[in-house]
Amino acid sequence: MQSISPETIFRGKDAWEKALPQIANLTKRPLILGRSLYTKEIKSKIFRDLKNLDLDVSLANLQFDCCYEDISTVKNVILNNNNDSVIAAGGGKVLDSGKYIAECLNIPCITVPLSAATCAGWTALSNIYTKKGQFIKDVALRSCPKVLVYDHKFIQTAPSRTLASGIADALAKWYESSITSSTIDDGLVQQAIQISRVLRDQLLIDGEKALKDPFENNSSWRNIIEACGLTAGLVGGIGGEKCRTAAAHAIHNAITQIITPNKFLHGEIVGVGLLLQLRLEEIKNNNKLAEQSIKQLLVLMKELNLPTTISELGINVFENKNLEKIADFTCREKSEIHFLPFEISKQDIIEVITNFEKQKIKI
């Protein structure tokens, strides 16, 4: 079975208002799930609008992350309140938590992304972390969300850093799927790869323009936020598991194992993993275009103020055995790194990261 997309999608600057009649038909006792204090005003609006429809609305917030502790707490709240749906309003961790909890309780999930940082509002997938933000595993869900509400007014309130992060995460769709799935003789997979190529081109062309003018009347901004939040999810929906992740996400998952005082966004870490994946392709797979791709990505990443090394993520890989920890987790048995069409060892990861952290690439 393959779950390709949410059942219904509302998008645009008035998407939330347009979605309200369908939401009212779908649920009578929704739970609004959130997390960040920065989104408190939007969540209050969502609460008021639902109350005005005479719905019995409850609120809950994640305390830590998309982790089993928070999931258990929220499940108990829903059971105690007899809620009949979850409306997940927030970033990727909130959206993933809402989808997972709704599936566990067999109730519908409505996703309301409040930034363009990920495509989590679309996908039938939840990433589970520890309370401290360390990646544990992906969980494939039976279905995508029942309803996805992608309101441009909500997205516009998010910090520009979230859009930059979303661009890096969406770029990985092409670079990961094109190497993991290019030899697969399946029409849908091949079409997903082609969509990811068009997605990449649009991100490279319009990414900087979108960040510099984040307003609804800027077509670059509109196109890029939907590329990050919608199209990126479609690629994974059509193409399946191997069109989602490879080395870039495997390295992301490993980097999250190192606890740092400063929290970085998913896409910010994936972007660094993407550069390292390209270096692996150059060294291990004789990819002559990898160096050119690295330089092309570095230009955009610098323009978007994205980190380009692990040290810029606040981690010194040369202390506390951090390099060995990252290599071990990257190459663990069920890692996405093994989707690559060539063998990767822990020593390969150690050498590539060591060289990448020390060198200066001219762009």
Side-chain angles (χ1 to χ4, degrees):
M1 186 186 76
Q2 191 169 346
S3 185
I4 292 176
S5 73
E7 190 171 301
T8 307
I9 300 166
F10 295 89
R11 64 186 181 99
K13 65 177 182 179
D14 297 314
W16 171 248
E17 284 75 17
K18 292 174 182 175
L20 283 171
Q22 181 159 337
I23 292 173
N25 287 332
L26 181 66
T27 177
K28 300 305 176 189
R29 295 180 302 279
L31 174 98
I32 302 171
L33 179 64
R35 182 189 185 197
S36 173
L37 289 174
Y38 295 108
T39 60
K40 183 177 180 181
E41 189 173 326
I42 294 177
K43 286 178 290 190
S44 295
K45 171 183 169 49
I46 291 172
F47 181 88
R48 290 194 306 271
D49 288 347
L50 295 174
K51 290 291 284 186
N52 287 339
L53 295 172
D54 293 326
L55 302 182
D56 185 6
V57 191
S58 304
L59 288 165
N61 283 313
L62 301 180
Q63 184 178 354
F64 304 107
D65 220 318
C66 183
C67 62
Y68 287 121
E69 291 84 354
D70 270 344
I71 287 167
S72 177
T73 298
V74 176
K75 281 167 65 177
N76 287 333
V77 170
I78 290 172
L79 291 171
N80 289 335
N81 292 337
N82 199 26
N83 298 116
D84 60 359
S85 72
V86 177
I87 300 177
K93 305 296 175 64
V94 171
L95 302 171
D96 276 0
S97 298
K99 291 183 297 183
Y100 184 88
I101 291 165
E103 171 149 318
C104 290
L105 299 177
N106 198 29
I107 57 177
C109 180
I110 299 161
T111 51
V112 188
L114 301 186
S115 80
T118 75
C119 59
W122 181 290
T123 60
L125 190 75
S126 290
N127 295 324
I128 308 297
Y129 295 82
T130 69
K131 290 195 298 184
K132 295 181 178 180
Q134 297 160 298
F135 176 85
I136 298 175
K137 65 177 181 177
D138 293 328
V139 177
L141 306 174
R142 290 190 300 272
S143 65
C144 295
K146 186 79 170 176
V147 178
L148 164 58
V149 183
Y150 206 74
D151 194 306
H152 292 187
K153 298 194 307 296
F154 293 170
I155 305 294
Q156 196 172 340
T157 65
S160 60
R161 177 186 176 190
T162 61
L163 179 54
S165 178
I167 291 170
D169 192 33
L171 278 167
K173 293 296 183 186
W174 161 256
Y175 293 99
E176 291 188 299
S177 66
S178 63
I179 190 169
T180 61
S181 305
S182 61
T183 60
I184 294 178
D185 186 20
D186 183 309
L188 278 182
V189 172
Q190 293 301 317
Q191 290 152 30
I193 295 171
Q194 292 304 321
I195 294 170
S196 73
R197 178 181 58 79
V198 176
L199 171 63
R200 175 206 62 182
D201 291 347
Q202 189 167 34
L203 294 166
L204 290 172
I205 293 167
D206 283 342
E208 185 184 7
K209 296 176 191 174
L211 210 69
K212 287 184 176 179
D213 186 15
F215 296 102
E216 180 66 23
N217 60 0
N218 175 11
S219 61
S220 292
W221 181 80
R222 294 196 307 270
N223 291 338
I224 292 302
I225 64 166
E226 294 201 334
C228 296
L230 304 181
T231 312
L234 177 62
V235 171
I238 294 176
E241 185 179 31
K242 288 190 178 181
C243 276
R244 291 195 185 108
T245 55
H249 277 80
I251 292 170
H252 159 277
N253 297 340
I255 290 173
T256 67
Q257 304 307 306
I258 312 300
I259 303 300
T260 60
N262 299 318
K263 292 291 184 181
F264 284 85
L265 300 176
H266 173 82
E268 292 173 331
I269 306 174
V270 168
V272 174
L274 185 50
L275 296 174
L276 291 167
Q277 173 181 311
L278 286 165
R279 186 62 85 212
L280 283 169
E281 290 182 47
E282 179 184 16
I283 295 169
K284 298 292 291 183
N285 204 38
N286 198 29
N287 182 349
K288 302 299 185 184
L289 297 177
E291 177 71 15
Q292 180 182 341
S293 295
I294 289 172
K295 290 182 178 181
Q296 184 182 37
L297 285 175
L298 280 172
V299 170
L300 178 62
M301 292 171 76
K302 294 293 186 184
E303 289 169 345
L304 301 183
N305 199 31
L306 286 163
T308 56
T309 62
I310 297 177
S311 63
E312 290 177 12
L313 295 171
I315 297 171
N316 183 346
V317 298
F318 304 113
E319 66 180 17
N320 300 327
K321 296 185 177 180
N322 286 338
L323 188 51
E324 290 78 5
K325 292 174 186 175
I326 292 171
D328 282 341
F329 199 88
T330 299
C331 295
R332 74 196 193 285
E333 184 180 350
K334 295 184 178 181
S335 172
E336 297 88 342
I337 197 83
H338 304 303
F339 289 153
L340 292 174
F342 49 90
E343 292 294 324
I344 293 292
S345 69
K346 294 176 186 177
Q347 190 58 37
D348 292 328
I349 300 297
I350 289 171
E351 290 177 4
V352 165
I353 291 177
T354 298
N355 293 333
F356 204 87
E357 291 293 302
K358 289 180 176 179
Q359 71 176 330
K360 296 292 182 182
I361 301 174
K362 294 180 181 180
I363 56 175

